[in-house]
Amino acid sequence: MREEIWRLYRHLILSIFAIVVCCFVAIEFAQNKFSDLKTEQLFNVDAEISAALLLSGVAKQVPESQFDWNLSSAALLPFSNISSLIKTKEWLASDEASYSVSFQQSATPILTGSAFASNPVFQLKTLLERLLLATQLEYSEKVSLIESMSSLSMSQYDSQSSAAFSGVVLVQKSSQEYGFLWDEENAERPSYITITNEERVSLALIVVVIISVGVAIMLLLIWRELIALDVKRKTFESITRQIARGRSGLPQGVPDNNGTLKELAYSFDSMSSHIERLLKVQREMINAISHELRTPIARLRFGLEMVKDEVDDDVVLTIEALEGDVEELNTLVDEVLTYGKLEGGSLELNFKELSISQLIDEILQHNHLLLQHLTVNVSIDPADIVEADEHHISRALQNLILNASKYAASTITVSFSQDSERWQLDIEDDGPEYSL
């Protein structure tokens, strides 16, 4: 059993270690992945703002951008075409260290750019200032360009500004979000522009999923061990019952990988053998004492008979009473010897047909002195015949009747019944009832 408990603890330790390792790996992977996604998102913002500057003619070059741009046409495009180009840009991550983007119309690239992701330094505030503070564009055109960018979102700023400002100001609403305030003379109130957060699985959710999977695996392993322990428990119970019925050793076909059952069977064998030896010694001692008692009992019986012939009639009654006590003692010795033979399986029974009514009458006549103060009612048909060992059934019935006489107040009732399978003799007395 100790090995099963150790295996259960071992599964627990391994499962907890596996959960910790998986969580660490998941957190590292998620952090790296989210960092890459965040970097790609910032490159996307850079590309859209820079493309709006170049395609609208606000700037000929954009040194603040991380991209190297190539504008294929120097002619300015209609403003409506610029918004549609920004919406339909083609984005390609060439490998882990570079990105490329193209803005094309009718399968013809108009503006292409490429950038390397190693140690980028983004100047998004400067790019936004160049676009939003440009005098070449109307306020509505600037709003339309911002709304066409998938990487930016714009809303009216409802909070009261702590100080008057104009232009573009970087603000941080929380540790995970920052944006830009844009105020212009033609606007009714400042606008809040922030980088759009793509919907993605949160780090906490990934950790929870991994922990849940690990806990489920751990519970499965523990459940498997508990089922195995329950099977062992049932097997132990079965073996215990078999050993209690006298079977020794481990039954055939019982799985016992670690020898626990064999050790249990050996312990039960040792215990049952020790108990059997004690019982054997006890039976031998009782039989020896019983046999030894026969000699002094025989002497007492012979002595009482000799004395009875030499005394007066007044003493004869006392001697007869003593003879009755000696006979009772002899009967007790015979019963002890009979019990010993029953336990040893050496008692030979001689079955024959008996009249149960006649047997009861003989018992009552033999013990009339002990039963003379009671009324014994016998409800047995003289034609009732049973098959039994006459000596031992007589001894058993006599013991029951005499035992009833000790507790009866005035009456003992003996009744008999039988069917095709068995017969039953009931001995009842009207003495006090005791309940356990």
mmCIF file of all heavy atoms in Angstrom, residues 128-156:
data_model
loop_
_atom_site.group_PDB
_atom_site.id
_atom_site.type_symbol
_atom_site.label_atom_id
_atom_site.label_comp_id
_atom_site.label_asym_id
_atom_site.label_seq_id
_atom_site.Cartn_x
_atom_site.Cartn_y
_atom_site.Cartn_z
ATOM 1 N N LEU A 128 1.708 62.061 -37.304
ATOM 2 C CA LEU A 128 0.350 62.581 -37.180
ATOM 3 C C LEU A 128 0.326 64.112 -37.242
ATOM 4 O O LEU A 128 -0.573 64.709 -37.850
ATOM 5 C CB LEU A 128 -0.263 62.110 -35.859
ATOM 6 C CG LEU A 128 -0.986 60.757 -35.875
ATOM 7 C CD1 LEU A 128 -1.447 60.384 -34.473
ATOM 8 C CD2 LEU A 128 -2.169 60.774 -36.837
ATOM 9 N N GLU A 129 1.298 64.731 -36.611
ATOM 10 C CA GLU A 129 1.343 66.201 -36.667
ATOM 11 C C GLU A 129 1.495 66.685 -38.102
ATOM 12 O O GLU A 129 0.826 67.644 -38.514
ATOM 13 C CB GLU A 129 2.493 66.716 -35.809
ATOM 14 C CG GLU A 129 2.229 66.634 -34.315
ATOM 15 C CD GLU A 129 3.413 67.115 -33.499
ATOM 16 O OE1 GLU A 129 4.546 67.128 -34.053
ATOM 17 O OE2 GLU A 129 3.226 67.465 -32.331
ATOM 18 N N ARG A 130 2.348 66.052 -38.871
ATOM 19 C CA ARG A 130 2.541 66.488 -40.268
ATOM 20 C C ARG A 130 1.259 66.335 -41.074
ATOM 21 O O ARG A 130 0.954 67.149 -41.954
ATOM 22 C CB ARG A 130 3.653 65.688 -40.926
ATOM 23 C CG ARG A 130 5.030 65.960 -40.339
ATOM 24 C CD ARG A 130 6.121 65.327 -41.166
ATOM 25 N NE ARG A 130 6.192 65.905 -42.503
ATOM 26 C CZ ARG A 130 7.049 65.550 -43.457
ATOM 27 N NH1 ARG A 130 7.932 64.596 -43.183
ATOM 28 N NH2 ARG A 130 7.036 66.109 -44.631
ATOM 29 N N LEU A 131 0.466 65.249 -40.756
ATOM 30 C CA LEU A 131 -0.759 65.030 -41.518
ATOM 31 C C LEU A 131 -1.901 65.908 -41.016
ATOM 32 O O LEU A 131 -2.594 66.554 -41.821
ATOM 33 C CB LEU A 131 -1.162 63.553 -41.408
ATOM 34 C CG LEU A 131 -2.477 63.163 -42.091
ATOM 35 C CD1 LEU A 131 -2.377 63.362 -43.602
ATOM 36 C CD2 LEU A 131 -2.845 61.722 -41.770
ATOM 37 N N LEU A 132 -2.086 65.977 -39.705
ATOM 38 C CA LEU A 132 -3.249 66.667 -39.164
ATOM 39 C C LEU A 132 -3.073 68.188 -39.125
ATOM 40 O O LEU A 132 -4.067 68.926 -39.057
ATOM 41 C CB LEU A 132 -3.549 66.141 -37.762
ATOM 42 C CG LEU A 132 -3.883 64.649 -37.666
ATOM 43 C CD1 LEU A 132 -4.108 64.234 -36.222
ATOM 44 C CD2 LEU A 132 -5.109 64.307 -38.513
ATOM 45 N N LEU A 133 -1.823 68.666 -39.152
ATOM 46 C CA LEU A 133 -1.588 70.113 -39.134
ATOM 47 C C LEU A 133 -1.254 70.657 -40.518
ATOM 48 O O LEU A 133 -0.875 71.838 -40.654
ATOM 49 C CB LEU A 133 -0.450 70.437 -38.163
ATOM 50 C CG LEU A 133 -0.681 69.998 -36.703
ATOM 51 C CD1 LEU A 133 0.514 70.403 -35.856
ATOM 52 C CD2 LEU A 133 -1.961 70.613 -36.154
ATOM 53 N N ALA A 134 -1.399 69.785 -41.546
ATOM 54 C CA ALA A 134 -1.080 70.226 -42.923
ATOM 55 C C ALA A 134 -2.129 71.224 -43.400
ATOM 56 O O ALA A 134 -3.338 71.012 -43.236
ATOM 57 C CB ALA A 134 -1.033 69.013 -43.848
ATOM 58 N N THR A 135 -1.662 72.320 -44.008
ATOM 59 C CA THR A 135 -2.582 73.349 -44.516
ATOM 60 C C THR A 135 -3.131 72.990 -45.890
ATOM 61 O O THR A 135 -4.098 73.607 -46.346
ATOM 62 C CB THR A 135 -1.833 74.689 -44.602
ATOM 63 O OG1 THR A 135 -0.669 74.534 -45.449
ATOM 64 C CG2 THR A 135 -1.392 75.157 -43.221
ATOM 65 N N GLN A 136 -2.555 71.980 -46.554
ATOM 66 C CA GLN A 136 -3.030 71.601 -47.884
ATOM 67 C C GLN A 136 -4.356 70.851 -47.841
ATOM 68 O O GLN A 136 -5.030 70.709 -48.858
ATOM 69 C CB GLN A 136 -1.999 70.713 -48.597
ATOM 70 C CG GLN A 136 -0.669 71.381 -48.861
ATOM 71 C CD GLN A 136 0.334 71.150 -47.736
ATOM 72 O OE1 GLN A 136 -0.096 71.072 -46.570
ATOM 73 N NE2 GLN A 136 1.621 71.099 -48.068
ATOM 74 N N LEU A 137 -4.755 70.337 -46.686
ATOM 75 C CA LEU A 137 -5.959 69.523 -46.563
ATOM 76 C C LEU A 137 -6.984 70.221 -45.700
ATOM 77 O O LEU A 137 -6.649 70.924 -44.732
ATOM 78 C CB LEU A 137 -5.628 68.151 -45.944
ATOM 79 C CG LEU A 137 -4.638 67.269 -46.715
ATOM 80 C CD1 LEU A 137 -4.319 66.010 -45.908
ATOM 81 C CD2 LEU A 137 -5.216 66.888 -48.087
ATOM 82 N N GLU A 138 -8.241 70.006 -46.064
ATOM 83 C CA GLU A 138 -9.338 70.521 -45.265
ATOM 84 C C GLU A 138 -9.541 69.610 -44.036
ATOM 85 O O GLU A 138 -9.088 68.470 -43.975
ATOM 86 C CB GLU A 138 -10.621 70.576 -46.087
ATOM 87 C CG GLU A 138 -10.544 71.489 -47.285
ATOM 88 C CD GLU A 138 -10.422 72.967 -46.880
ATOM 89 O OE1 GLU A 138 -10.898 73.291 -45.758
ATOM 90 O OE2 GLU A 138 -9.864 73.748 -47.657
ATOM 91 N N TYR A 139 -10.294 70.151 -43.068
ATOM 92 C CA TYR A 139 -10.550 69.370 -41.853
ATOM 93 C C TYR A 139 -11.307 68.084 -42.178
ATOM 94 O O TYR A 139 -10.994 66.998 -41.659
ATOM 95 C CB TYR A 139 -11.337 70.232 -40.858
ATOM 96 C CG TYR A 139 -11.762 69.470 -39.611
ATOM 97 C CD1 TYR A 139 -10.856 69.181 -38.592
ATOM 98 C CD2 TYR A 139 -13.095 69.039 -39.472
ATOM 99 C CE1 TYR A 139 -11.245 68.487 -37.465
ATOM 100 C CE2 TYR A 139 -13.496 68.337 -38.339
ATOM 101 C CZ TYR A 139 -12.565 68.053 -37.336
ATOM 102 O OH TYR A 139 -12.958 67.360 -36.227
ATOM 103 N N SER A 140 -12.285 68.203 -43.048
ATOM 104 C CA SER A 140 -13.082 67.025 -43.393
ATOM 105 C C SER A 140 -12.234 65.992 -44.130
ATOM 106 O O SER A 140 -12.448 64.777 -43.959
ATOM 107 C CB SER A 140 -14.278 67.440 -44.259
ATOM 108 O OG SER A 140 -13.821 68.084 -45.456
ATOM 109 N N GLU A 141 -11.283 66.443 -44.949
ATOM 110 C CA GLU A 141 -10.419 65.497 -45.653
ATOM 111 C C GLU A 141 -9.501 64.763 -44.668
ATOM 112 O O GLU A 141 -9.257 63.556 -44.815
ATOM 113 C CB GLU A 141 -9.595 66.241 -46.703
ATOM 114 C CG GLU A 141 -10.445 66.811 -47.832
ATOM 115 C CD GLU A 141 -9.609 67.623 -48.811
ATOM 116 O OE1 GLU A 141 -8.512 68.089 -48.413
ATOM 117 O OE2 GLU A 141 -10.042 67.790 -49.960
ATOM 118 N N LYS A 142 -9.012 65.472 -43.683
ATOM 119 C CA LYS A 142 -8.172 64.831 -42.665
ATOM 120 C C LYS A 142 -8.973 63.770 -41.901
ATOM 121 O O LYS A 142 -8.480 62.658 -41.639
ATOM 122 C CB LYS A 142 -7.619 65.875 -41.697
ATOM 123 C CG LYS A 142 -6.733 66.914 -42.358
ATOM 124 C CD LYS A 142 -6.332 67.992 -41.358
ATOM 125 C CE LYS A 142 -5.508 69.096 -42.034
ATOM 126 N NZ LYS A 142 -5.173 70.191 -41.103
ATOM 127 N N VAL A 143 -10.212 64.129 -41.548
ATOM 128 C CA VAL A 143 -11.061 63.163 -40.829
ATOM 129 C C VAL A 143 -11.318 61.943 -41.704
ATOM 130 O O VAL A 143 -11.270 60.795 -41.230
ATOM 131 C CB VAL A 143 -12.380 63.828 -40.399
ATOM 132 C CG1 VAL A 143 -13.351 62.788 -39.833
ATOM 133 C CG2 VAL A 143 -12.126 64.917 -39.374
ATOM 134 N N SER A 144 -11.564 62.171 -42.999
ATOM 135 C CA SER A 144 -11.826 61.054 -43.907
ATOM 136 C C SER A 144 -10.607 60.144 -44.023
ATOM 137 O O SER A 144 -10.740 58.915 -44.077
ATOM 138 C CB SER A 144 -12.227 61.602 -45.278
ATOM 139 O OG SER A 144 -12.422 60.550 -46.191
ATOM 140 N N LEU A 145 -9.396 60.734 -44.077
ATOM 141 C CA LEU A 145 -8.183 59.922 -44.164
ATOM 142 C C LEU A 145 -7.995 59.072 -42.898
ATOM 143 O O LEU A 145 -7.653 57.890 -42.980
ATOM 144 C CB LEU A 145 -6.963 60.825 -44.374
ATOM 145 C CG LEU A 145 -6.789 61.425 -45.775
ATOM 146 C CD1 LEU A 145 -5.602 62.408 -45.803
ATOM 147 C CD2 LEU A 145 -6.564 60.317 -46.802
ATOM 148 N N ILE A 146 -8.220 59.672 -41.732
ATOM 149 C CA ILE A 146 -8.057 58.925 -40.474
ATOM 150 C C ILE A 146 -9.055 57.768 -40.414
ATOM 151 O O ILE A 146 -8.733 56.643 -40.016
ATOM 152 C CB ILE A 146 -8.221 59.856 -39.265
ATOM 153 C CG1 ILE A 146 -7.071 60.887 -39.213
ATOM 154 C CG2 ILE A 146 -8.263 59.054 -37.960
ATOM 155 C CD1 ILE A 146 -5.709 60.269 -39.036
ATOM 156 N N GLU A 147 -10.313 58.045 -40.864
ATOM 157 C CA GLU A 147 -11.338 56.998 -40.808
ATOM 158 C C GLU A 147 -11.071 55.876 -41.803
ATOM 159 O O GLU A 147 -11.544 54.753 -41.607
ATOM 160 C CB GLU A 147 -12.713 57.623 -41.088
ATOM 161 C CG GLU A 147 -13.182 58.525 -39.953
ATOM 162 C CD GLU A 147 -14.515 59.176 -40.251
ATOM 163 O OE1 GLU A 147 -14.942 59.121 -41.433
ATOM 164 O OE2 GLU A 147 -15.130 59.740 -39.328
ATOM 165 N N SER A 148 -10.303 56.146 -42.865
ATOM 166 C CA SER A 148 -9.989 55.093 -43.841
ATOM 167 C C SER A 148 -8.853 54.186 -43.371
ATOM 168 O O SER A 148 -8.612 53.133 -43.972
ATOM 169 C CB SER A 148 -9.618 55.723 -45.181
ATOM 170 O OG SER A 148 -8.394 56.458 -45.059
ATOM 171 N N MET A 149 -8.173 54.567 -42.306
ATOM 172 C CA MET A 149 -7.045 53.769 -41.796
ATOM 173 C C MET A 149 -7.554 52.689 -40.837
ATOM 174 O O MET A 149 -8.238 52.986 -39.858
ATOM 175 C CB MET A 149 -6.026 54.677 -41.084
ATOM 176 C CG MET A 149 -5.420 55.725 -42.000
ATOM 177 S SD MET A 149 -4.251 56.808 -41.104
ATOM 178 C CE MET A 149 -3.855 57.996 -42.379
ATOM 179 N N SER A 150 -7.203 51.477 -41.135
ATOM 180 C CA SER A 150 -7.651 50.359 -40.304
ATOM 181 C C SER A 150 -6.910 50.287 -38.970
ATOM 182 O O SER A 150 -7.398 49.667 -38.015
ATOM 183 C CB SER A 150 -7.467 49.037 -41.044
ATOM 184 O OG SER A 150 -6.087 48.836 -41.354
ATOM 185 N N SER A 151 -5.759 50.942 -38.908
ATOM 186 C CA SER A 151 -4.949 50.846 -37.694
ATOM 187 C C SER A 151 -5.248 51.946 -36.693
ATOM 188 O O SER A 151 -4.732 51.927 -35.579
ATOM 189 C CB SER A 151 -3.462 50.906 -38.051
ATOM 190 O OG SER A 151 -3.178 52.122 -38.742
ATOM 191 N N LEU A 152 -6.081 52.947 -37.068
ATOM 192 C CA LEU A 152 -6.416 54.051 -36.175
ATOM 193 C C LEU A 152 -7.923 54.156 -36.030
ATOM 194 O O LEU A 152 -8.689 53.820 -36.944
ATOM 195 C CB LEU A 152 -5.868 55.377 -36.715
ATOM 196 C CG LEU A 152 -4.341 55.512 -36.780
ATOM 197 C CD1 LEU A 152 -3.958 56.855 -37.388
ATOM 198 C CD2 LEU A 152 -3.726 55.353 -35.403
ATOM 199 N N SER A 153 -8.336 54.619 -34.849
ATOM 200 C CA SER A 153 -9.750 54.901 -34.619
ATOM 201 C C SER A 153 -9.856 56.281 -34.000
ATOM 202 O O SER A 153 -8.999 56.692 -33.210
ATOM 203 C CB SER A 153 -10.372 53.846 -33.688
ATOM 204 O OG SER A 153 -9.722 53.854 -32.428
ATOM 205 N N MET A 154 -10.953 56.992 -34.330
ATOM 206 C CA MET A 154 -11.103 58.369 -33.874
ATOM 207 C C MET A 154 -12.479 58.535 -33.262
ATOM 208 O O MET A 154 -13.479 58.016 -33.764
ATOM 209 C CB MET A 154 -10.927 59.341 -35.039
ATOM 210 C CG MET A 154 -10.962 60.821 -34.622
ATOM 211 S SD MET A 154 -10.603 61.938 -35.999
ATOM 212 C CE MET A 154 -12.057 61.674 -37.023
ATOM 213 N N SER A 155 -12.509 59.275 -32.150
ATOM 214 C CA SER A 155 -13.767 59.555 -31.471
ATOM 215 C C SER A 155 -13.683 60.937 -30.849
ATOM 216 O O SER A 155 -12.598 61.497 -30.692
ATOM 217 C CB SER A 155 -14.055 58.498 -30.397
ATOM 218 O OG SER A 155 -13.010 58.490 -29.429
ATOM 219 N N GLN A 156 -14.873 61.483 -30.480
ATOM 220 C CA GLN A 156 -14.908 62.783 -29.824
ATOM 221 C C GLN A 156 -14.402 62.638 -28.392
ATOM 222 O O GLN A 156 -14.729 61.686 -27.700
ATOM 223 C CB GLN A 156 -16.334 63.340 -29.817
ATOM 224 C CG GLN A 156 -16.880 63.629 -31.194
ATOM 225 C CD GLN A 156 -16.113 64.733 -31.900
ATOM 226 O OE1 GLN A 156 -15.678 65.707 -31.277
ATOM 227 N NE2 GLN A 156 -15.935 64.586 -33.206
#
